[in-house]
Amino acid sequence: MADHLENLDPISSYAALGDSFTEGLNDPNPDGSFAGWADRLAGMLAQGRPEGTFRYANLAVRGRLLDQVVAEQVPQVRLARPDLVTFCAGGNDILRPGSDPDEVAERFEQAVLQLRECTRTVLICTGFDTKNVPVLRHLRGKIATYNVHLRAIADRNDCAVADLWSLRALQGRPAWSEDRLHLSSEGHQRVALLAARALGLPTLDDPAAPWPAESVHTPAEQRRENLQWARDYLIPWVGRRLRGESSGDHVEAKRPELLPL
């Protein structure tokens, strides 16, 4: 991967594209809205700049599939032409039964080619390692295959990469909210630090720092916790997909224009 440090100084505008991961679900602001790793990264990039000189847009919407991200969000970026774009999409496609990570990756690269025409730097994220997540652990092979494609796409198109798969801190329970599908505030902060480092931005905190020791559950306690999680979160999530519904229905982007941060 190319060294993106040389591109850091001129960055005065940033647009984030994607789904719930980039929208920032389960990282609440005091006003009830969501922050998330992309908002946190924007804050890091804006530090030290004169007030009002750094502009930021977050176009991500929960539940969006790759083609929806490309159709709804990429054209806005092509018009705005920010210095930096983070493009994290395809995860919802990979989770769907019958999806082909090879085919999803082909569509992802076509979108990357469009973005490279209108921005100086594109950063993409690999998928999470789901080996410790009930049910989703069975999709680990598909996610790994998709990640291999993403790294190759980044190499071919000179993109920065935030490697979520290799960040072991994200395998710890403190990184995840109660639904185990979205990051906690602490998890979003780790991803923001990882993305900053992928761009060459120095950070005082280490995204890979170990978590404080967690309490150890007995196998019986773990089974009860998994059953409760399945009732509260997994079954409703599966039900929405069977009905063709999305958590993002009737949801709009929280920050649709490049505005001063």
Side-chain angles (χ1 to χ4, degrees):
M1 184 184 70
D3 183 357
H4 293 271
L5 181 60
E6 61 191 42
N7 292 330
L8 187 63
D9 285 343
I11 291 178
S12 61
S13 54
Y14 163 35
L17 311 186
D19 50 34
S20 60
F21 167 62
T22 301
E23 184 185 349
L25 255 63
N26 296 1
D27 180 16
N29 283 312
D31 64 1
S33 64
F34 292 116
W37 69 270
D39 286 19
R40 292 168 180 266
L41 175 62
M44 295 177 191
L45 291 168
Q47 284 181 0
R49 299 185 180 275
E51 185 174 354
T53 61
F54 183 84
R55 296 177 300 145
Y56 170 55
N58 190 320
L59 303 168
V61 177
R62 67 198 73 174
R64 291 298 192 259
L65 298 169
L66 174 59
D67 286 347
Q68 293 174 311
V69 173
V70 174
E72 299 168 6
Q73 301 174 27
V74 170
Q76 297 184 61
V77 170
R78 288 174 63 85
L79 289 173
R81 305 185 72 85
D83 295 328
L84 167 67
V85 172
T86 57
F87 179 46
C88 305
N92 288 327
D93 299 71
I94 297 300
L95 294 180
R96 295 205 165 197
S99 62
D100 180 355
D102 301 337
E103 188 273 332
V104 176
E106 290 180 7
R107 290 186 281 120
F108 185 94
E109 184 162 21
Q110 292 305 308
V112 168
L113 290 172
Q114 293 187 55
L115 294 172
R116 292 298 288 135
E117 294 175 351
C118 63
T119 186
R120 181 178 297 114
T121 302
V122 175
L123 180 143
I124 66 177
C125 297
T126 66
F128 299 105
D129 186 347
T130 58
K131 71 176 182 179
N132 295 325
V133 184
V135 181
L136 297 186
R137 66 168 61 100
H138 301 294
L139 298 175
R140 193 180 185 219
K142 284 178 66 176
I143 297 169
T145 300
Y146 189 51
N147 284 348
V148 171
H149 283 300
L150 292 180
R151 283 200 158 278
I153 290 168
D155 288 342
R156 286 193 294 268
N157 297 283
D158 192 27
C159 300
V161 179
D163 188 1
L164 306 181
W165 180 279
S166 298
L167 187 60
R168 291 190 176 183
L170 294 182
Q171 296 175 19
R173 283 292 290 118
W176 296 90
S177 61
E178 289 185 355
D179 68 7
R180 303 191 195 178
L181 299 170
H182 300 98
L183 294 171
S184 64
S185 296
E186 294 82 0
H188 278 288
Q189 178 65 11
R190 296 298 183 97
V191 173
L193 291 169
L194 183 70
R197 289 193 173 189
L199 292 169
L201 184 71
T203 62
L204 293 177
D205 296 323
D206 182 2
W211 301 104
E214 301 177 55
S215 58
V216 178
H217 290 185
T218 66
E221 290 172 334
Q222 188 64 58
R223 283 194 296 272
R224 284 196 297 270
E225 184 178 305
N226 288 342
L227 286 171
Q228 187 65 44
W229 167 75
R231 284 193 295 266
D232 293 345
Y233 299 106
L234 179 62
I235 292 174
W237 179 74
V238 171
R240 286 197 302 271
R241 272 145 185 77
L242 292 175
R243 295 190 299 271
E245 299 175 357
S246 168
S247 58
D249 290 343
H250 313 298
V251 176
E252 297 181 353
K254 65 180 182 181
R255 195 178 175 92
E257 298 180 9
L258 278 178
L259 295 175
L261 186 66

